[in-house]
Amino acid sequence: MMNENAESSSVKETNTSTGWKLQFGVLCGMLMLALIGMGLSQALEQSAWWYWLFVVFTYAALGLWRSTRKAKRGGHGLKNLISRELAHWAVLLAFLGVLAVLERKEIISRESSSDFALLLLAFSCCLAGIHFDWLLLIMGVVLTVMLVAMATLEQYTIVLWLVMIVVTVAAAAFFYLKSNRGRAADGLD
């Protein structure tokens, strides 16, 4: 009995460690997609729309995957969750479509519409984070900070990119070291 509890505890710790690594990997992937999108928005204004649509679909797929996994583990119904989350992302796509129309009618500039698209994505991520999965809330906040930084520090773009890369690497190193220390302390290595 004692041995079974020790093994069960060991398996839970391994799953928790793997869970954090997976969550951090998803967050880093989402962040990299956003960073690439910001670079494309600055360089290729016209083609950036297609990339942002790809990002929206990717974020929606990742969010839906994570929230359905969580719902299955908790024994909650999936039909209502999936329909609500799909409706959430469909509304974002509709608003991005309105933004595209405003840009094509030259009511707003391409540069402004790209910034608004990123702001809509950040807002949608924050709302999805509140209602579905906390990871999307973090992503929404990061996207908002990135947008504000890009808008206010446009003349320091290179410095901003370097700072974001350093912060990302530092966060990755922190989580990696934390994960290894936890495994070493539990004797899982």
Side-chain angles (χ1 to χ4, degrees):
M1 182 73 159
M2 182 79 140
N3 192 19
E4 286 179 21
N5 288 341
E7 286 178 23
S8 172
S9 176
S10 173
V11 169
K12 285 180 185 176
E13 290 298 323
T14 302
N15 289 341
T16 302
S17 174
T18 303
W20 275 102
K21 287 179 183 177
L22 180 62
Q23 290 176 6
F24 183 70
V26 169
L27 185 65
C28 285
M30 293 172 80
L31 180 60
M32 289 308 298
L33 287 173
L35 287 171
I36 291 168
M38 290 180 76
L40 287 175
S41 293
Q42 297 294 317
L44 305 173
E45 294 168 7
Q46 184 68 16
S47 300
W49 270 106
W50 293 108
Y51 182 80
W52 284 118
L53 289 177
F54 166 75
V55 169
V56 168
F57 282 111
T58 303
Y59 280 24
L62 287 171
L64 191 61
W65 171 70
R66 286 181 43 82
S67 58
T68 54
R69 277 186 59 203
K70 187 169 46 171
K72 283 180 184 177
R73 281 190 305 239
H76 303 293
L78 294 178
K79 186 177 179 182
N80 188 29
L81 172 76
I82 291 171
S83 62
R84 283 187 8 219
E85 197 158 343
L86 288 176
H88 170 86
W89 293 106
V91 168
L92 172 61
L93 289 173
F95 275 85
L96 288 174
V98 170
L99 191 58
V101 168
L102 293 175
E103 177 193 328
R104 289 202 174 82
K105 299 262 184 196
E106 296 180 358
I107 295 171
I108 58 174
S109 70
R110 285 185 185 167
E111 184 178 303
S112 294
S113 72
S114 182
D115 291 342
F116 287 137
L118 184 56
L119 184 61
L120 285 171
L121 179 62
F123 181 65
S124 291
C125 284
C126 285
L127 289 177
I130 291 169
H131 295 289
F132 306 118
D133 183 15
W134 63 269
L135 188 70
L136 289 168
L137 178 62
I138 292 172
M139 197 63 231
V141 170
V142 169
L143 288 173
T144 304
V145 169
M146 287 170 41
L147 177 62
V148 170
M150 288 288 285
T152 57
L153 301 173
E154 221 172 79
Q155 65 269 25
Y156 303 111
T157 304
I158 298 294
V159 174
L160 181 65
W161 281 98
L162 291 174
V163 168
M164 284 192 281
I165 290 170
V166 168
V167 168
T168 303
V169 169
F174 171 76
F175 279 105
Y176 177 77
L177 292 173
K178 181 181 174 191
S179 165
N180 281 345
R181 282 189 197 141
R183 289 177 54 110
D186 294 333
L188 295 175
D189 279 338

